[in-house]
Amino acid sequence: DAGVTQSPTHLIKTRGQQVTLRCSPKSGHDTVSWYQQALGQGPQFIFQYYEEEERQRGNFPDRFSGHQFPNYSSELNVNALLLGDSALYLCASSDDPSGAQYFGPGTRLTVL
Amino acid sequence: AQSVTQLDSQVPVFEEAPVELRCNYSSSVSVYLFWYVQYPNQGLQLLLKYLSGSTLVKGINGFEAEFNKSQTSFHLRKPSVHISDTAEYFCAVILPSQTSYDKVIFGPGTSLSVIP
């Protein structure tokens, strides 16, 4: 059983560009959450999707948007990239009512 | 609003010695508590969780944590560490609700370095 998978592994963009990151949840998991982890910091919650709708959102601007597909996979889109958007972006899935989550390996985004 | 504090940003410890990683949280209501581990260049892995009941929780890889409501703490312990335990450790909280769980709040992390 494959765990949470993310693509691409690494990505380099320039300021002002747009980026799309992809996530496939662990089999059977219907909830997907996205996190931004800056270097040396803990993950910061971006948003969570359930049944193709955004259910929760953290303190991130509207430049960050997402989507969940009927097969529960998800995309994170970031528009008008800033240097400060450089980070590891983590996807996590869950089917646990307690909120315990399974994390993917992340996508390392570098904005130049 | 909930918050999580991990007082020690770095903890060096010799191999086979015991270790305690400290976590304190702030919340006016009951929360669920978690410890995650992040090995270099990897995602996070759940070590253990506390929802209710016994205050001593056992997790994977020989780790355990004790919930202390009066001190709002959830410290992680291991009686004897191995080189392979070198990693970043994150404490996290969730505010449970009736229909779904709230967003996860992570602490800043503690870097555990095991010295041979």
Side-chain angles (χ1 to χ4, degrees):
Chain A
D1 174 32
V4 179
T5 59
Q6 294 185 243
S7 63
T9 305
H10 296 85
L11 205 51
I12 298 175
K13 293 285 188 180
T14 56
R15 283 178 296 175
Q17 286 189 310
Q18 178 265 343
V19 68
T20 297
L21 311 181
R22 295 176 176 82
C23 170
S24 291
K26 184 175 171 62
S27 179
H29 288 189
D30 56 9
T31 302
V32 174
S33 300
W34 286 93
Y35 296 83
Q36 180 194 67
Q37 185 179 20
L39 200 60
Q41 297 183 24
Q44 299 291 315
F45 177 80
I46 302 176
F47 42 54
Q48 179 188 91
Y49 278 85
Y50 173 70
E51 293 189 346
E52 303 180 51
E53 291 194 359
E54 185 181 290
R55 184 164 67 177
Q56 299 278 350
R57 189 178 182 91
N59 296 323
F60 279 80
D62 292 344
R63 298 187 297 110
F64 290 78
S65 64
H67 188 76
Q68 185 178 35
F69 300 93
N71 66 353
Y72 305 134
S73 66
S74 177
E75 289 182 349
L76 164 65
N77 300 292
V78 187
N79 295 321
L81 285 167
L82 304 173
L83 295 179
D85 295 332
S86 294
L88 180 68
Y89 288 85
L90 295 165
C91 171
S93 72
S94 176
D95 67 346
D96 185 338
S98 75
Q101 298 178 69
Y102 290 81
F103 283 82
T107 293
R108 174 74 61 186
L109 173 65
T110 301
V111 181
L112 302 177
Chain B
Q2 294 76 38
S3 66
V4 179
T5 303
Q6 293 181 246
L7 294 174
D8 306 304
S9 60
Q10 297 184 24
V11 174
V13 62
F14 285 104
E15 192 174 14
E16 297 184 4
V19 69
E20 178 179 85
L21 305 183
R22 296 181 292 171
C23 172
N24 289 86
Y25 68 94
S26 173
S27 176
S28 58
V29 297
S30 296
V31 296
Y32 293 159
L33 295 155
F34 304 80
W35 275 100
Y36 286 87
V37 60
Q38 185 175 33
Y39 299 104
N41 300 314
Q42 295 186 28
L44 280 70
Q45 179 183 5
L46 179 67
L47 276 176
L48 48 78
K49 62 182 178 182
Y50 173 79
L51 308 182
S52 64
S54 173
T55 58
L56 184 62
V57 180
K58 294 190 181 297
I60 63 172
N61 302 339
F63 283 94
E64 63 181 31
E66 186 161 16
F67 170 63
N68 188 317
K69 186 175 183 179
S70 62
Q71 297 185 3
T72 60
S73 68
F74 190 54
H75 300 333
L76 182 70
R77 303 186 183 104
K78 186 170 184 178
S80 176
V81 295
H82 303 288
I83 296 291
S84 59
D85 292 324
T86 294
E88 194 81 16
Y89 291 80
F90 294 96
C91 183
V93 302
I94 290 177
L95 173 64
S97 66
Q98 292 181 340
T99 57
S100 68
Y101 57 86
D102 204 341
K103 59 186 179 183
V104 183
I105 306 297
F106 282 88
T110 297
S111 179
L112 174 64
S113 297
V114 180
I115 305 164

